[in-house]
């Protein structure tokens, strides 16, 4: 492990890197703010908390039968090469349409309670893997994960074989009110909604529901259910305009919203602009008052100068919302980063989500300023020691490149952790080549909320080489421990299986169901209380991460608690009564039963 002295030196190198390049862009003031967040507090300044126990993973890629790779391909129209004069470090000549993306969706597509995987392939075909994991041979034993690759995925997914190429990412969710999860494939080409019809088979519903035929370079997706709507609203984020050179700024393509027009179809696209080369989108109730807004992570590399992270309010009726950009006058706190991934969690339990945003060298966690009248945020990433701005192990001290991000409880201690998938864009010389994925374990302070994180990737066994992109944290063998699926650029997709490590910690898996539309109750808030008085709060969302999203039960760690209380605030705001549940179980809460 690198010493604290080495960390200071790396921080200094990162300072010079950021300073040099921002001065070229006449952003000296912003640079000082970025570097203050980049370097963070010293170990002496950090609160002294008990170190969370690290989970343990073993690589199980080959043993599980996971054989797949996300491949790059021809450059977009008009973009034969990336800019070799770019002061941030030239990428590899020939890097093309799939230098971003590389997502995975986890879903139970055959109803056997074992999560299956759909993995994007980029220039290669996407792949579908069915989970064939058998129960452990002995009680409390470790069940080896087993995945079966579907040999004819096009037939299973209900598409032409050519449609499996060009897939950048995948999101699983319940689009309609039936029992089968559905898939949104975002593509370098036309996006596809695949409606589940059971037994891991799908039908292509894209034309039927009115998805645009546009041949976009889509790299972000999110969904939410307007109150009373029969189907969800969609947001799609585009990267660079396919007809324009990739090397020049200002060539970002605008994203768009699709709002329901009737029970099973969408109206015309509603433009989301100004364009910023989106790489992640997330619908959030930023103020905790039920008003949904769209948060967008944008890549500063190709956006117009001044276009950074964005937050749009949705103005007007649900069938024709108009996205209106929050500005500095509204209280918005501008941030210009290489925005790549987004994740939201209520870390301080105030009813308003913190937003984690990944980037190159300057990851951040934004917390709403309590006294602000508008969406004014403070970057608390440094205070929480959660920046992960450089490799934490190995000789490479150059800045990290961070992509997929997720809040989950990996050691089941009842505190949320932060997982970041990392990897060089291609061969950018000013960024780390060996850039292992981060696992930042959350620790609670005396008030019971997350007070800081600590890096545990090396201890956990995930400090492996690769150029990570998307990912999924999913319990593939039903043992209450979250396994990790990592999609790598131009390399094999990897599976890290969680194994018991020390004293067992308890857990709870929660699925929600309600009648009618929005079957999985997206937008609901799950509250958990354990006998020691500690609370957790989780909001169900579709979107965020980097081109990856799953339709699975919510996972909670309970620590030593053998029971917990649970309450649901359903999407319409109605709260269920508290009920007691046992630890180490998977429960299904139906709204009809909650009303009795």
């Amino acid at each position: 492990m690198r010493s604290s002295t080495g960390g200071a030196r790396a921080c200094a190198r990162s300072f010079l890197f950021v300073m040099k390049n921002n001065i070229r862009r006449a952003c000296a003031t912003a640079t000082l703010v970025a570097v203050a967040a980049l370097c963070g507090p010293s170990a002496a300044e950090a609160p002294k908390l008990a170190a969370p126990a690290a989970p343990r993973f073993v690589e199980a890629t080959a043993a599980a039968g996971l054989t797949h790779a996300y491949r790059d391909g021809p450059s977009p129209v008009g973009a034969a090469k990336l800019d070799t004069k770019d002061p941030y470090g030239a990428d590899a000549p020939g890097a093309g349409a799939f230098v971003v993306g590389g997502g995975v969706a986890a879903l139970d597509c055959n109803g056997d309670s074992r999560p299956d995987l759909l993995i994007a392939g980029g220039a290669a075909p996407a792949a579908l893997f069915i989970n064939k994991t058998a129960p452990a041979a002995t009680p409390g034993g470790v069940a080896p994960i087993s995945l079966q690759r579907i040999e004819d995925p096009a037939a299973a997914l209900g598409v032409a074989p050519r449609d499996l190429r060009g897939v950048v990412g995948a999101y699983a969710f319940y689009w309609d009110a039936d029992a089968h999860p559905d898939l949104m494939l975002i593509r370098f080409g036309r996006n596809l909604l695949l409606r589940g019809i059971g037994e891991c088979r799908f039908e292509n519903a894209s034309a039927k529901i009115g998805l645009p035929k546009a041949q976009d370079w889509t790299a972000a997706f999110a969904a939410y259910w307007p109150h009373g709507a029969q189907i969800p609203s969609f947001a799609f984020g585009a990267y660079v305009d396919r007809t324009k050179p990739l090397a020049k700024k200002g060539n970002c393509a605008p994203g768009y919203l699709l709002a329901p027009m009737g029970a099973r179809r969408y109206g015309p696209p509603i433009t989301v602009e100004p364009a910023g080369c989106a790489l992640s989108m997330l619908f959030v109730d930023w103020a905790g008052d039920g008003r949904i807004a769209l948060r967008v992570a944008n890549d500063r590399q190709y956006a117009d100068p001044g276009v950074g992270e964005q937050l749009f309010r949705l103005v007007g009726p649900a069938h024709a919302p108009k996205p209106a950009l929050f500005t500095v006058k509204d209280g918005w706190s501008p941030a210009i980063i290489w925005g790549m991934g987004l994740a939201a969690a209520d870390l301080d339990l105030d009813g308003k989500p913190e937003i984690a945003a990944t980037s190159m060298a300057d990851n951040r966690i934004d917390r709403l300023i309590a006294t602000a009248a508008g969406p004014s945020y403070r970057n608390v990433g440094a205070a929480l020691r959660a920046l992960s701005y450089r490799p934490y192990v190995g000789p490479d001290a150059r800045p990290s490149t961070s992509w997929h991000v997720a809040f989950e409880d990996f050691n089941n201690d009842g505190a949320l952790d932060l997982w970041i998938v990392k990897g060089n864009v291609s061969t950018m010389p000013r960024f780390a080549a060996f850039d292992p994925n981060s696992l930042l374990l959350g620790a609670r302070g005396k008030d019971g909320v997350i007070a800081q994180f600590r890096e545990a990737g090396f201890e956990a066994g995930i400090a492996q080489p690769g150029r990570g992109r998307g990912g999924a944290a999913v319990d593939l063998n039903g043992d209450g421990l979250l396994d990790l699926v990592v999609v790598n650029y131009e390399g094999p997709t990897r599976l890290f299986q969680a194994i018991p490590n020390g004293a067992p910690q308890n857990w709870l898996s929660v699925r929600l169901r309600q009648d009618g539309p929005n079957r999985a109750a997206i937008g609901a808030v799950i509250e958990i209380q354990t006998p020691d008085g500690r609370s957790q709060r989780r909001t169900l969302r579709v979107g965020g991460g980097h081109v990856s999203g799953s339709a699975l039960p919510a996972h909670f760690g309970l620590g030593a608690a053998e029971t917990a209380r649970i309450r649901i605030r359903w999407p319409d705001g109605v709260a269920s009564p508290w009920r007691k549940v046992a630890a180490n179980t998977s429960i299904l809460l139906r709204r009809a039963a909650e009303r009795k």
Side-chain angles (χ1 to χ4, degrees):
M1 300 294 285
R2 190 176 295 111
S3 68
S4 59
T5 301
R9 289 173 180 168
C11 187
R13 283 191 289 267
S14 297
F15 173 91
L16 293 174
F17 164 81
V18 178
M19 191 72 170
K20 176 181 178 182
N21 290 292
N22 276 289
I23 285 177
R24 292 179 180 179
R25 287 158 175 75
C27 297
T29 301
T31 297
L32 295 177
V33 175
V35 171
L38 183 70
C39 299
S42 68
E45 296 169 334
K48 294 182 179 180
L49 303 175
R56 181 64 180 161
F57 297 87
V58 295
E59 185 168 354
T61 307
L66 182 57
T67 55
H68 184 64
Y70 180 79
R71 300 297 185 189
D72 203 353
S75 297
V77 175
K81 296 182 180 179
L82 298 182
D83 187 358
T84 57
K85 297 181 180 179
D86 184 353
Y88 290 89
D91 208 330
F98 307 105
V99 71
V100 300
V104 53
L107 68 166
D108 179 9
C109 58
N110 55 10
D112 65 358
S113 299
R114 293 178 293 192
D116 311 295
L117 302 174
L118 187 286
I119 310 176
L128 179 62
F129 289 85
I130 306 304
N131 193 340
K132 296 293 186 178
T133 304
T138 59
V142 176
I145 296 169
S146 176
L147 302 173
Q148 177 184 323
R149 183 175 185 135
I150 297 299
E151 294 302 322
D152 188 359
L157 296 170
V159 298
R162 66 176 180 276
D163 293 331
L164 291 185
R165 297 183 183 272
V167 178
V168 172
Y171 287 84
F173 59 105
Y174 289 86
W175 176 74
D176 54 13
D178 68 20
H180 310 302
D182 311 300
L183 285 165
M184 179 65 74
L185 304 187
I186 58 175
R187 303 177 66 245
F188 187 81
R190 186 184 185 182
N191 300 316
L192 301 174
L193 176 70
L194 308 183
R195 181 176 171 270
I197 55 177
E199 295 304 319
C200 292
R201 301 189 68 82
F202 298 80
E203 64 176 12
N204 186 354
S206 309
K208 187 183 299 183
I209 69 170
L211 281 194
K213 296 181 179 180
Q215 301 291 311
D216 293 324
W217 188 355
T218 304
F221 172 77
Y224 85 104
W225 270 258
H227 182 64
Q230 297 296 304
I231 52 177
S233 291
F234 293 148
F236 294 90
Y239 198 52
V240 175
D241 188 321
R242 286 182 54 173
T243 65
K244 296 180 180 179
L246 183 61
K248 294 183 179 179
K249 285 187 175 293
N251 285 343
C252 297
Y256 60 90
L257 297 176
L258 291 182
M261 185 179 69
R264 309 278 290 186
R265 191 171 174 82
Y266 291 93
I270 302 165
T271 302
V272 178
E273 54 186 358
C277 288
L279 287 176
S280 189
M281 287 178 155
L282 193 61
F283 285 105
V284 293
D285 176 7
W286 64 270
D289 60 4
R291 292 178 296 173
I292 298 298
L294 178 64
R295 175 72 184 264
V296 185
N298 290 312
D299 185 357
R300 67 182 286 179
Q301 192 81 349
Y302 305 115
D304 282 320
V307 176
E309 301 293 279
Q310 295 172 317
L311 185 70
F312 292 88
R313 63 168 67 88
L314 303 179
V315 180
H319 68 276
K322 180 180 179 181
L325 184 67
F326 280 99
T327 67
V328 174
K329 292 181 179 179
D330 303 311
W332 173 243
S333 307
I336 300 177
I337 60 176
W338 292 278
M340 294 178 172
L342 293 171
D346 188 0
L347 299 178
D348 57 3
L349 302 178
D350 67 348
K352 303 167 187 177
E354 278 69 47
I355 310 293
T358 56
S359 178
M360 297 193 293
D362 52 357
N363 297 337
R364 56 191 295 125
I365 296 181
D366 289 332
R367 172 170 289 160
L368 192 69
I369 298 173
T371 58
S376 297
Y377 286 87
R378 178 182 295 111
N379 180 6
V380 297
L384 293 176
R385 303 180 67 81
L387 295 178
S388 188
Y389 64 88
R390 64 181 177 89
Y392 51 85
V393 67
D396 199 334
R398 291 173 293 179
S400 285
T401 304
S402 300
W403 298 84
H404 184 73
V405 58
F407 287 106
E408 292 286 357
D409 189 351
F410 293 97
N411 56 2
N412 284 342
D413 66 351
L416 281 175
D417 310 312
L418 185 62
W419 178 46
I420 303 176
V421 178
K422 299 161 72 176
N424 198 297
V425 173
S426 182
T427 55
M428 283 189 168
R430 298 195 181 187
F431 293 88
F434 178 71
D435 197 5
N437 302 325
S438 280
L439 185 60
L440 296 152
L441 301 179
R444 295 177 182 267
K446 293 181 179 180
D447 56 0
V449 303
I450 304 296
Q452 69 179 42
F453 292 87
R454 81 170 184 91
E455 179 63 69
F458 180 78
E459 299 167 67
I462 64 169
Q464 302 293 325
R467 288 180 287 183
R469 290 297 192 265
V474 51
D475 182 0
L476 289 167
N477 60 354
D479 63 356
L481 300 173
L482 294 175
D483 311 297
L484 301 177
V485 179
V486 178
V487 182
N488 288 301
Y489 169 77
E490 287 287 9
T493 297
R494 285 182 165 173
L495 167 61
F496 296 92
Q497 180 173 347
I499 60 174
N501 187 30
Q505 298 275 39
N506 297 319
W507 54 274
L508 185 66
S509 175
V510 182
R511 287 187 298 150
L512 303 184
R513 290 289 181 268
Q514 60 180 7
D515 295 335
N518 193 10
R519 170 186 176 86
I522 297 302
V525 179
I526 303 172
E527 295 181 86
I528 299 285
Q529 288 185 353
T530 47
D532 60 4
R534 292 187 173 184
S535 298
Q536 301 180 55
R537 184 181 292 124
R538 197 80 55 85
T539 301
L540 303 185
R541 299 183 176 92
V542 176
H546 179 63
V547 297
S548 303
S550 301
L552 296 174
H555 176 89
F556 294 87
L558 300 180
E562 297 181 353
T563 62
R565 295 200 312 155
I566 186 170
R567 180 175 68 178
I568 311 302
R569 180 164 61 83
W570 297 92
D572 61 1
V574 175
S576 69
W578 289 98
R579 59 180 292 177
K580 186 177 180 180
V581 294
N584 303 323
T585 56
S586 298
I587 62 173
L588 171 63
L589 297 181
R590 297 181 181 274
R591 187 165 189 181
E594 292 284 350
R595 287 174 172 168
K596 293 179 180 179

